[in-house]
């Protein structure tokens, strides 16, 4: 009986840890925040690029103001024509 209880405790601990470390669902703002949390400046440009591609697949995902600013700054500095209003 004690062996089964110990085994159940270990399996439950592993399942809990796996669930706790699971990334957020793809296609959400939480996913982008989680993915780019360690980028310098919050990864606003990278979030905006990925959000633009997600918009095609997952529907309307509007850019927030910091993402628009980062995207427009990058486009302006690199001679791009894809400035967002």
């Amino acid at each position: 009986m004690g062996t089964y209880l110990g085994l159940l405790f270990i399996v439950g601990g592993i399942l809990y840890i796996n669930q706790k470390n699971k990334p957020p669902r793809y296609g959400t703002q939480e996913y982008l925040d989680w993915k780019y949390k360690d980028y310098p400046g919050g990864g606003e440009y990278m979030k905006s690029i990925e959000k633009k591609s997600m918009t095609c697949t997952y529907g309307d995902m509007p850019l927030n103001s910091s993402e628009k600013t980062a995207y427009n700054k990058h486009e302006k500095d690199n001679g791009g024509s894809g400035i967002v209003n």
Side-chain angles (χ1 to χ4, degrees):
M1 181 68 178
T3 307
Y4 292 122
L5 187 59
L7 186 60
L8 184 63
F9 180 72
I10 291 171
V11 170
I14 290 171
L15 291 175
Y16 174 77
I17 290 170
N18 283 344
Q19 186 67 27
K20 186 118 174 112
N21 293 332
K22 192 168 136 182
R25 190 174 62 87
Y26 183 79
T28 61
Q29 183 66 40
E30 292 81 21
Y31 172 79
L32 292 172
D33 293 339
W34 170 81
K35 185 175 180 182
Y36 297 110
K37 68 181 174 244
D38 295 328
Y39 271 57
E44 298 300 324
Y45 175 69
M46 295 302 293
K47 286 181 192 177
S48 66
I49 294 298
E50 191 157 350
K51 195 179 267 190
K52 283 176 158 275
S53 68
M54 283 180 181
T55 298
C56 297
T57 307
Y58 290 94
D60 188 27
M61 287 190 70
L63 299 175
N64 62 31
S65 61
S66 61
E67 291 168 348
K68 282 182 190 175
T69 304
Y71 182 80
N72 289 339
K73 181 182 183 305
H74 180 80
E75 290 294 313
K76 183 178 153 195
D77 292 346
N78 294 309
S81 62
I83 296 178
V84 177
N85 291 326

